[in-house]
Amino acid sequence: MRRTGVLAVGWIAVAAVAAACGAGPSVRPDVAVVREGVDSSEPTVQEDEDAAPELPVPQTDLTWRDCTSDTVASYSLSSGPTGLSLECAEVPTPIDPSGAVPGTFPLAVLRAQLPDTPDDVAPLVLTTGSDMPSTRALAALATGPLSGVLTTRPVVAVDRRGIGMSLAIDCVFGADRRALADLGQFGRSGSAPERVAELGRQATISCTDYLQPQELMFSASHAAGDIDRLRQAWNVERVGLLGIGNGAAVGLAYAAAYPGAVGRLVLDSPVAASGDAEQIAESRARGAESAVDAFSRQCAALDCSLGDDPRQALEDLHAQASSGALAPVSSNALLTVITAYLGTPRGDLPSRIRELSDTLASARDGDVVPLLDLVGTAEQILASDGQFVSRCSDGQRWPTPTRAADLQRNWATLYPLFGADTAAATTACAAWPTLPAPPLPAALDTPVLVTGGAADPIVGSVGVESVTGALTAGAIAWSTVSWQGAGYSASLHSTCIQGRIERYLSTGELPPNGSLCPA
């Protein structure tokens, strides 16, 4: 059940596998691991005679309550397969692990399983970090066509502080929130990066005031500590963790802080490790453009309502929004809809393509009401106050307005739909207090599985190389599997990827490095 509330001093919380396919099975004891100075296409082999220990089943279970109907309704999802069980629980978690700020808050978790889900296997812990509510990602998976993954083991999602089912953060004034979501398009005159930086400064002031004295306790490192509280509540030595997108940064931070507690680690569609705000933003713009290209090809093949050239139709619609012709829908609100629609787990793909096409075609023809409905849903998924706080807490080296203006000019050419607005948005967190970069593991006995997709509109697709480089620097065994489809998170969209992950969870075996899963 969704919980809301204000974080009070001393008691505050912050407000967000099926059959394997691809390139053949892995053979123990060979573990693919790339070392420095060695081409990643030719991984060296590390002998590992000891079988990976099984993931332990929770010794002390949480107090779960059924929240299936409430969760489905709150996230506007379908009812899902017969017998689907969504259960909610809270784990008392210290606000500040150091004890400088006293008190605890209820860490929100959601468990998904089916009637035939075995009860004697370890659950998989899932986090999407600040990208979207982890509980929403799990609920969408559980109610969609790929819910069969739950027949092998339960999946437990952990929301970051202030996101999803966690106690909500409501710290940005309504008018500022709307203006920030629109990148100041309908505000007073001035260059977009400067206006966004001003709105971000106002949001920073109101949020840090609202959250005192724990305004600096929403980083990926704190999210990693919260996951370890779940492990402790289960009374187990190790957990299996799936970190998706920004959740991969949480997973790496967890491995850095609690290496002995990592039983399995999957980093899916990871954000770049230690990347600065500019690099991460450009990756997102590039991934979104690729996702739009995939949508346009599918739309044209279905003879959709956007016409023979859906890509050009979207660019024309974006130009209309930029000029104010679609008001009150701004250009950035339009892009948020497209990003959410193309990124999130979905049911019948042809039907969804036609639905998005029809909504955008109606806006092009003068009826923006259906599009406005999607704006509200998309911003709930991707743009809550809790996500603003977490993203600002994680970010490094935010561009100045001058630098962002330069990026606008360059990216508008490189990424015609998303470039200019993405560049302007990079200044939103420039006033947030700078925190240390999320830590990276210096060593880890557990091999790591890294997966990614070809066209991710929320995170982009360049983080895999950065993450595997960080793992190599720590002499940590890893292997990659690539999904050739479009969407946020390979594991949420591909049964092939799910199969590879489940085999790794069950046996500890890494698949051959560079394996592929079809779209």
Side-chain angles (χ1 to χ4, degrees):
M1 182 176 298
R2 184 181 294 275
R3 297 173 59 90
T4 58
V6 175
L7 306 180
V9 173
W11 191 86
I12 97 179
V14 238
V17 190
C21 56
S26 170
V27 179
R28 294 291 289 180
D30 296 346
V31 177
V33 53
V34 177
R35 303 294 185 185
E36 281 192 79
V38 181
D39 190 324
S40 63
S41 64
E42 298 292 339
T44 61
V45 174
Q46 175 178 297
E47 293 295 327
D48 182 4
E49 298 179 355
D50 297 326
E54 291 186 2
L55 289 173
V57 178
Q59 299 301 299
T60 305
D61 209 354
L62 307 182
T63 303
W64 297 100
R65 65 184 184 280
D66 181 78
C67 59
T68 307
S69 59
D70 289 338
T71 302
V72 167
S74 65
Y75 289 139
S76 302
L77 299 169
S78 63
S79 58
T82 301
L84 172 66
S85 172
L86 299 176
E87 298 169 289
C88 295
E90 289 81 31
V91 179
T93 303
I95 294 168
D96 180 7
S98 73
V101 177
T104 63
F105 71 94
L107 177 69
V109 296
L110 177 73
R111 181 171 68 182
Q113 51 190 359
L114 295 170
D116 53 352
T117 303
D119 57 10
D120 59 349
V121 297
L124 173 64
V125 178
L126 179 153
T127 175
T128 52
S130 61
D131 296 334
M132 66 176 63
S134 302
T135 50
R136 195 221 179 265
L138 175 56
L141 173 67
T143 57
L146 274 66
S147 61
V149 68
L150 300 175
T151 61
T152 58
R153 67 180 67 243
V155 180
V156 175
V158 182
D159 277 328
R160 277 188 73 160
R161 302 180 178 195
I163 298 175
M165 292 182 176
S166 292
L167 295 179
I169 296 176
D170 184 13
C171 61
V172 183
F173 294 114
D176 289 344
R177 183 184 297 113
R178 182 68 262 155
L180 196 56
D182 293 332
L183 301 184
Q185 180 178 338
F186 300 121
R188 59 181 180 272
S189 61
S191 69
E194 291 179 353
R195 176 63 175 146
V196 173
E198 178 186 349
L199 291 166
R201 182 184 63 81
Q202 294 169 358
T204 295
I205 292 172
S206 60
C207 287
T208 52
D209 286 348
Y210 174 93
L211 295 171
Q212 283 184 340
Q214 50 271 54
E215 68 274 15
L216 302 183
M217 298 175 188
F218 299 91
S219 67
S221 296
H222 287 90
D226 295 345
I227 289 174
D228 201 58
R229 291 298 299 180
L230 173 61
R231 179 193 65 80
Q232 295 174 41
W234 277 338
N235 192 25
V236 294
E237 293 183 356
R238 302 173 305 278
V239 293
L241 179 59
L242 168 61
I244 299 172
N246 173 262
V250 176
L252 287 169
Y254 187 83
Y258 312 98
V262 178
R264 306 284 191 274
L265 180 58
V266 182
L267 306 176
D268 178 21
S269 308
V271 68
S274 298
D276 63 26
E278 180 178 325
Q279 293 170 324
I280 291 172
E282 184 173 11
S283 173
R284 187 168 61 250
R286 184 184 297 117
E289 294 283 345
S290 297
V292 165
D293 287 340
F295 163 79
S296 298
R297 290 191 295 270
Q298 295 162 334
C299 196
L302 292 169
D303 194 23
C304 67
S305 52
L306 287 175
D308 295 336
D309 190 347
R311 170 80 198 205
Q312 186 59 55
L314 288 179
E315 292 186 14
D316 293 344
L317 192 63
H318 182 257
Q320 285 183 264
S322 298
S323 69
L326 297 185
V329 178
S330 67
S331 62
N332 196 59
L334 170 67
L335 297 180
T336 301
V337 167
I338 294 172
T339 298
Y341 217 90
L342 299 184
T344 52
R346 52 199 183 272
D348 178 58
L349 181 57
S351 295
R352 284 183 59 85
I353 290 172
R354 289 192 177 95
E355 182 181 356
L356 179 59
S357 172
D358 291 346
T359 299
L360 297 176
S362 294
R364 176 195 60 193
D365 298 336
D367 181 7
V368 299
V369 173
L371 181 57
L372 272 173
D373 291 340
L374 293 186
V375 168
T377 300
E379 290 180 350
Q380 285 179 350
I381 297 172
L382 301 179
S384 69
D385 289 3
Q387 287 163 298
F388 171 77
V389 170
S390 290
R391 289 165 183 165
C392 291
S393 297
D394 288 348
Q396 301 291 312
R397 300 179 295 278
W398 300 99
T400 65
T402 300
R403 174 59 180 166
D406 290 339
L407 294 176
Q408 270 196 307
R409 288 186 287 271
N410 294 333
W411 290 0
T413 300
L414 292 172
Y415 317 112
L417 272 173
F418 289 86
D421 283 8
T422 300
T426 59
T427 62
C429 292
W432 195 267
T434 300
L435 299 176
L440 299 173
L444 192 65
D445 292 336
T446 303
V448 179
L449 177 58
V450 184
T451 63
D456 188 324
I458 294 178
V459 177
S461 306
V462 302
V464 169
E465 182 178 354
S466 171
V467 164
T468 54
L471 295 173
T472 298
I476 299 168
W478 56 266
S479 183
T480 64
V481 181
S482 299
W483 172 54
Q484 296 174 303
Y488 170 74
S489 169
S491 63
L492 297 179
H493 286 91
S494 167
T495 56
C496 174
I497 291 290
Q498 289 177 353
R500 291 304 180 96
I501 290 174
E502 177 52 34
R503 178 169 184 176
Y504 163 71
L505 295 174
S506 299
T507 67
E509 296 177 6
L510 288 174
N513 186 43
S515 300
L516 296 177
C517 282

